[in-house]
Amino acid sequence: MSNTSRIETREIADAELDNVAGGLSVSGSLDGLTANFAPGPNGLPVLTSGSIDSVSLTVSDIPLGPIQA
């Protein structure tokens, strides 16, 4: 069994985002990032495999109000 945390999501209406003064505050971190690339079309690198041990992302300054079930 995987040891993962539950991720909660919620759709945010454009009108709610329009009322956010100064925009959104987003911060986060990655731990244990590994990525492998191969040459692709026109010399652009293409991600062939990768892994991340953990990810943390925080978004704030959005007035959401109560969550409706």
Side-chain angles (χ1 to χ4, degrees), residues 39-61:
N42 300 321
L44 295 175
V46 175
L47 179 65
T48 57
S49 64
S51 66
I52 299 173
D53 291 337
S54 66
V55 176
S56 171
L57 179 65
T58 302
V59 180
S60 57
D61 296 337

Side-chain angles (χ1 to χ4, degrees), residues 12-68:
I12 301 171
D14 287 341
E16 289 175 308
L17 291 177
D18 289 341
N19 293 326
V20 176
L24 303 176
S25 295
V26 180
S27 62
S29 65
L30 297 173
D31 288 323
L33 174 63
T34 302
N36 298 305
F37 296 90
N42 300 321
L44 295 175
V46 175
L47 179 65
T48 57
S49 64
S51 66
I52 299 173
D53 291 337
S54 66
V55 176
S56 171
L57 179 65
T58 302
V59 180
S60 57
D61 296 337
I62 305 174
L64 295 178
I67 297 175
Q68 299 176 3

